[in-house]
Amino acid sequence: MKNYKTQMEAAKKGIITPEMKIVAEKEFMEVEKLMALVACGQVAIPANIMHTSLSPEGIGTGLKTKINVNLGVSGDCKNYQQELEKVKLSLKFGAEAIMDLSNFGKTNTFRQELIKLSPAMIGTVPMYDAIGYLEKDLLAITPQDFMRVVRAHAEEGVDFMTIHAGINRRAIETFKRDGRRMNIVSRGGSLLFAWMEMTGNENPFYEYYDEFLEILREYDVTISLGDALRPGCIDDSSDSSQLGELIELGHLTKRAWAKDVQVLVEGPGHMAMNEIAANMAIQKRLCHNAPFYVLGPLVTDIAPGYDHITSAIGGAIAAASGADFLCYVTPAEHLRLPDIDDVKEGIIASKIAAHAADIAKGIPHAREIDNKMAEARRKVDWDAMFEIAIDSEKARAYFESTPPEDKHSCSMCGKMCAVRTTNMILEGKTVAFYSEN
């Protein structure tokens, strides 16, 4: 019988868990080093004891940048089968985490099926689910009701939960005093803001924080401290509301660690490129080097339909500057619930950003796959290139859509291909274009 409740408690006691062994092997890291990082909170291994299909992953210092895929039904789009297809696609392309953000109806049936089949970490935002789960209007929900929903998600096997505990009365006073161009754009944050304003009460996730932590500790659920006051446009970034909440999240991080609950801290949504690196450094300082989970940041506000690109730009800079976990953004952001093609585009963009950042950070073996691609390209080995590519099917389809006359080139350059020309000269051949060699 194990004598620990959470990965953090085990690490503090010097116990190497099976999950730590798996993560250390995946990350090419000595397990003792990983254990020390888990013990001090710089690495989290979200692994609910009820999630038996999980393939554990680590998030944090010295590890590969992980990505999360958001999915789930809404009142306007209630096709659970389509959401399961998105799950399968996410797993196919190597997403390490999936967040079920369903906000309509009885979502637990879908979530239980998701947890049963998914080796990826599963996250939720209990605040989203509260209204449908409880079948109550927002004003009628009590702090005890919120606890019921959190416990239900924990019992189902959710590995990490976004809890917006930092938006307390003090944070709201700052927000209302200073104002913003886009106000509050966090769905969970806006619901809590409304509940607090309508009831006159303190944020229940803040007021009863220790009680929520006890539930999370029981199932080893990682708390993802939500950024309810994240900037929703670049003009609101790095303002008093965002940074004031971040300071509070730093205090909440230490309180969670004191109870052996692992922590992720969530970060900004929209931010100009020149502010990103500084924000990553500030977050790590204020939140004691806890793993940082960022949405984007989206580096401009004028690209609806292309926000997977604005997000990937910001995500690459953020991860290279210290962020550990990227939440994908799809082309449908700000416009609609994403369809399966949107999900694929979002995943690929986020994977590119994460991998590019890992190269920049010098993560062990990150460059190896790029070197393999370079070797395949030097040899003009198309099959090897397709196998290595992040999206093999798309790469092959593009190549075959306009086939080259010479298999040692593509239709872009034909016989003038630089690689072909150089290879021929190095092989002692003559390069000619109007006669056969």
Side-chain angles (χ1 to χ4, degrees), residues 51-358:
H51 189 177
T52 56
S53 64
L54 178 69
S55 178
E57 296 284 354
I59 303 169
T61 301
L63 308 185
K64 294 190 289 288
T65 306
K66 308 307 187 295
I67 76 159
N68 171 71
V69 171
N70 290 339
L71 45 80
V73 301
S74 70
D76 293 311
C77 294
K78 301 181 281 291
N79 188 333
Y80 285 104
Q81 189 56 45
Q82 185 179 68
E83 296 311 297
L84 285 175
E85 291 302 314
K86 295 176 186 178
V87 171
K88 294 173 184 177
L89 183 73
S90 303
L91 298 175
K92 174 183 175 180
F93 283 102
E96 291 88 3
I98 297 170
M99 290 197 78
D100 173 20
L101 305 186
S102 296
N103 63 359
F104 178 84
K106 296 296 185 183
T107 61
N108 56 330
T109 301
F110 169 72
R111 189 160 47 251
Q112 288 167 2
E113 188 171 355
L114 170 62
I115 292 167
K116 183 178 178 180
L117 70 85
S118 175
M121 299 174 281
I122 301 302
T124 59
V125 187
M127 186 68 206
Y128 295 178
D129 195 28
I131 296 170
Y133 180 87
L134 299 166
E135 295 184 332
K136 287 185 177 182
D137 281 329
L138 183 61
L139 184 59
I141 297 176
T142 68
Q144 291 69 35
D145 287 331
F146 288 125
M147 284 188 194
R148 282 176 53 201
V149 178
V150 168
R151 178 169 289 279
H153 284 213
E155 290 174 348
E156 288 166 8
V158 171
D159 301 296
F160 65 101
M161 293 186 204
T162 294
I163 304 289
H164 296 93
I167 181 170
N168 53 22
R169 301 300 312 181
R170 183 168 56 250
I172 285 178
E173 287 173 11
T174 300
F175 160 68
K176 291 168 71 175
R177 180 190 67 231
D178 294 353
R180 272 183 155 185
R181 190 175 295 276
M182 273 294 295
N183 293 324
I184 297 174
V185 299
S186 160
R187 189 195 307 172
S190 68
L191 291 171
L192 278 169
F193 169 70
W195 186 90
M196 292 163 69
E197 291 292 285
M198 289 190 298
T199 65
N201 295 331
E202 180 58 277
N203 177 356
F205 293 107
Y206 179 79
E207 185 174 3
Y208 301 99
Y209 187 61
D210 288 333
E211 287 89 334
F212 283 105
L213 290 178
E214 289 297 335
I215 298 172
L216 302 183
R217 183 178 186 276
E218 184 178 348
Y219 294 89
D220 197 3
V221 178
T222 298
I223 187 169
S224 189
L225 289 168
D227 51 343
L229 294 172
R230 68 175 179 265
C233 65
I234 60 173
D235 198 48
D236 289 339
S237 65
S238 307
D239 69 354
S240 57
S241 291
Q242 178 201 332
L243 297 178
E245 183 183 34
L246 189 59
I247 292 169
E248 197 66 65
L249 297 185
H251 295 307
L252 295 171
T253 294
K254 296 187 80 171
R255 287 175 60 185
W257 286 344
K259 289 183 175 289
D260 299 326
V261 174
Q262 301 182 99
V263 176
L264 305 173
V265 178
E266 298 187 12
H270 292 239
M271 181 168 287
M273 288 170 58
N274 60 304
E275 296 180 36
I276 295 173
N279 266 263
M280 300 305 107
I282 290 169
Q283 185 280 334
K284 288 288 185 175
R285 177 66 180 271
L286 293 178
C287 295
H288 321 291
N289 290 308
F292 200 23
Y293 176 24
V294 299
L295 176 71
L298 281 66
V299 295
T300 179
D301 298 325
I302 62 167
Y306 298 91
D307 276 327
H308 59 310
I309 298 174
T310 66
S311 172
I313 294 168
I317 298 170
S321 303
D324 307 289
F325 192 20
L326 302 181
C327 187
Y328 91 151
V329 171
T330 77
E333 184 79 2
H334 302 113
L335 301 172
R336 68 173 190 202
L337 190 79
D339 63 20
I340 197 160
D341 292 329
D342 297 324
V343 169
K344 179 181 176 182
E345 291 295 314
I347 292 170
I348 297 297
S350 191
K351 291 289 283 187
I352 292 169
H355 180 64
D358 287 348

Side-chain angles (χ1 to χ4, degrees), residues 382-383 386 393-404 410-411:
W382 293 106
D383 288 333
F386 300 146
E393 295 170 4
K394 184 173 184 178
R396 184 182 292 276
Y398 267 54
F399 175 76
E400 293 178 349
S401 65
T402 310
C410 74
S411 57

